[in-house]
Amino acid sequence: MGAAVTPPLEVTAIFAAREYDVITLESERYERVMAVMRREVPDRVPWSIWGHFPAVNWLDYYSWELATRSGEESAKAHMALLRELDYKMDMLKVTPYYRFMAMKWGSRFDFKDNEEEAHTLSTTVKEPGDWEKLWVLDPRKELREYVRCNEVLARDLRRMPFIYTIPSPIIQAMNGVGTPERVMEDMKSSPGALKEGMETITETTIEFAKACVDAGATGIFYGIGGGGRVWRELSKEQLEKYALGYDKRVLDAVDCPIKLMHICNTPMGNAQDKNLMEDGWFKKYPVDCINWDAHEYTWLDKAKKIYKDKFAICGGLNRVTTLRTGSPRQVEAEVKKAIEDAGEGGGFMLGPGCTVYQDMPRENYNAVGRAVIKYGYYKK
C-alpha cells in the first residue's frame, strides 16, 4: 500500500441477461471490485457505503415509503444520493425495505416521516396454519417494482456495478412474514407447517434473485442473521437446517458475478456467540465475499486469516460511532487502519458493518472516499 499510481486502462465486462439485452459494463470500478471478489490485488482498495436510501436526512425530495412501492423512485433515489457525493463509490448496494416480500403476503408496516424503520402493525403468519396460505410471489407481478429498480439502474448507471439486497428465507420468516417467537415455537410444535412456509419463501427468493440478475444487477447482497437472535437462540443443528440449508439452495440457484453475504448482528446476538465466525463455519456458504461488523466481533485481520482461502472480506467502518458522529479526520484514521490491517494481498473492500444510519453526515461519506484515494492504492 502507499502512494497513488496511475489507474489501469478501462476494461469491459460483459455478462448475459437472460430476458433482456446483453448488459455491457465499461468501468475500471467493475474490474476493481471483481479483482477483490477473485481475492486478487486490484489497483486500489474499492469502497462502498450503504443505507436505507432514500431515508437520508440530507437527501431532499425522495420518499422512503414511495421507494418501497416504485422501482423508478428507488432507482432514482439511489442515483440522486451518488450525485450528492464528491467521491464515487466503486459499487452501489441497493437496499429495499427488507420486509418487502412480507408486505406482498399481507404483513403491514407503518412508514412515518421518512424514518428508515417502519413499525410492524401486523404479520401474515399468526398461527401454524397460516404458513400454508403463502404462495410463490411472481417477480413479473407482485415483485415487479423491485425488479424494475434493477432495470432502471442497469440502464442509467452503466459505469458502476450494483448489487441488490436479498434477505435469507429464515430471516424473512422471523422478521416480517411471522415473528421470531412464532418461528421458534413452530420449529418445536409444528415443523411440518413451518417447512411448508419455508419452501414457499425459498422458492420466491430464488425466482426474485434470478429476476434481479436478469434485469441487469451485477450480483446480490445476501443478508443472513437479521436481528441477531438466530445466533443466540437457535442451536447449531437448527442453524444448519433452517438457515444454511435454505440459504445454500438460494445461493446455488443464482448465477451472477458477485455474491456478497452480510452476516448481521445486533445486541441480541452475533455470529461469534457460538464461535461460528472464528471456527470457520461460514466457509460452508457458496459466496464470493463476506461482510460483518468487525467492530463488534472478530477484527478484519483475524477474519482474513481464517477465510482468505475461501472469501474476500468487506468491512472495517464503524457505522455506530465513527461514521455517524465522528469527525472527517476520525473517519480518515479509521479508513487508514482498516486498509493497513486487511488490505495486504488484496481481497479486501472497505465498507460498513451494516447499513449506515440515515443521519450519517454527507461529509463523512466524502471523508471515506477521500481517504481511500489517499491510502488505498497498491504499489506496483
Side-chain angles (χ1 to χ4, degrees):
M1 313 299 296
V5 297
T6 302
L9 296 175
E10 291 188 347
V11 299
T12 300
I14 301 177
F15 51 95
R18 286 182 286 274
E19 296 181 2
Y20 300 85
D21 293 336
V22 170
I23 304 298
T24 304
L25 190 65
E26 296 182 354
S27 172
E28 65 184 40
R29 289 192 291 277
Y30 175 84
E31 178 56 27
R32 185 175 295 136
V33 172
M34 289 309 301
V36 169
M37 296 301 126
R38 298 189 298 265
R39 305 191 302 281
E40 297 172 357
V41 179
D43 62 326
R44 70 158 169 77
V45 173
W47 69 285
S48 182
I49 293 175
W50 51 87
H52 294 120
F53 308 148
V56 179
N57 288 1
W58 42 266
L59 187 63
D60 296 329
Y61 177 75
Y62 294 94
S63 164
W64 175 228
E65 187 276 332
L66 179 56
T68 67
R69 296 186 283 111
S70 167
E72 292 271 353
E73 177 82 0
S74 179
K76 289 178 180 178
H78 280 80
M79 290 186 287
L81 180 129
L82 294 175
R83 289 194 298 270
E84 289 290 315
L85 304 180
D86 294 337
Y87 299 88
K88 293 182 178 179
M89 299 182 197
D90 291 292
M91 183 187 74
L92 174 66
K93 184 260 195 189
V94 184
T95 310
Y97 183 55
Y98 74 101
R99 297 180 172 107
F100 65 97
M101 294 187 198
M103 292 170 65
K104 298 302 180 182
W105 278 310
S107 296
R108 296 172 56 243
F109 307 94
D110 190 17
F111 290 86
K112 287 185 177 179
D113 302 323
N114 216 39
E115 292 294 322
E116 58 186 319
E117 187 54 51
H119 177 69
T120 300
L121 298 175
S122 65
T123 60
T124 297
V125 176
K126 300 178 177 62
E127 55 187 41
D130 291 337
W131 292 111
E132 67 179 18
K133 298 177 183 178
L134 303 180
W135 68 97
V136 177
L137 300 174
D138 191 335
R140 297 165 299 180
K141 295 178 181 178
E142 295 97 339
L143 300 177
R144 180 72 187 91
E145 286 300 316
Y146 306 100
V147 176
R148 177 62 178 155
C149 176
N150 290 273
E151 293 173 350
V152 175
L153 290 172
R155 181 193 68 198
D156 295 346
L157 195 68
R158 299 191 66 85
R159 297 176 58 78
M160 178 180 289
F162 70 92
I163 58 178
Y164 201 88
T165 304
I166 306 293
S168 164
I170 187 62
I171 299 309
Q172 294 185 61
M174 297 178 73
N175 296 283
V177 181
T179 64
E181 291 75 20
R182 177 74 273 150
V183 170
M184 287 186 281
E185 173 61 30
D186 290 346
M187 284 181 183
K188 300 174 184 177
S189 61
S190 303
L194 176 60
K195 182 179 186 296
E196 185 168 354
M198 288 295 297
E199 291 290 331
T200 303
I201 296 171
T202 301
E203 187 174 347
T204 297
T205 304
I206 289 171
E207 293 307 311
F208 176 71
K210 286 180 177 180
C212 290
V213 175
D214 287 344
T218 320
I220 61 174
F221 182 98
Y222 193 76
I224 67 171
R229 289 180 64 173
V230 295
W231 307 126
R232 190 166 295 172
E233 298 187 31
L234 269 61
S235 68
K236 192 171 181 180
E237 292 72 22
Q238 288 173 319
L239 287 170
E240 296 269 353
K241 179 177 180 180
Y242 289 103
L244 176 62
Y246 289 102
D247 290 337
K248 286 188 69 176
R249 284 173 54 184
V250 175
L251 292 164
D252 284 337
V254 181
D255 182 17
C256 57
I258 299 173
K259 295 178 186 176
L260 195 161
M261 183 172 75
H262 172 61
I263 306 166
C264 194
N265 71 277
T266 70
M268 301 180 74
N270 69 57
Q272 192 50 22
D273 287 340
K274 292 183 171 65
N275 204 39
L276 297 177
M277 188 70 175
E278 295 179 15
D279 263 356
W281 185 78
F282 294 98
K283 290 183 180 182
K284 299 177 181 182
Y285 277 84
V287 297
D288 304 300
C289 182
I290 56 173
N291 165 256
W292 74 103
D293 193 341
H295 288 271
E296 293 293 327
Y297 64 98
T298 314
W299 183 241
L300 300 172
D301 54 356
K302 187 170 187 178
K304 193 169 183 180
K305 290 178 182 178
I306 297 169
Y307 291 102
K308 65 180 179 180
D309 62 333
K310 180 71 173 179
F311 305 131
I313 64 172
C314 173
L317 298 177
N318 191 328
R319 72 187 186 104
V320 177
T321 56
T322 312
L323 293 182
R324 191 179 190 187
T325 61
S327 67
R329 186 182 297 273
Q330 290 171 317
V331 172
E332 180 174 317
E334 188 161 280
V335 170
K336 183 174 185 290
K337 175 173 172 52
I339 291 174
E340 289 175 346
D341 289 353
E344 185 175 356
F348 172 63
M349 181 161 68
L350 189 75
C354 196
T355 50
V356 298
Y357 290 93
Q358 69 183 86
D359 57 359
M360 176 182 166
R362 177 167 35 193
E363 55 264 32
N364 284 352
Y365 283 82
N366 289 327
V368 173
R370 186 167 53 247
V372 169
I373 291 174
K374 185 175 182 179
Y375 301 112
Y377 277 98
Y378 288 87
K379 293 180 179 178
K380 299 296 184 180

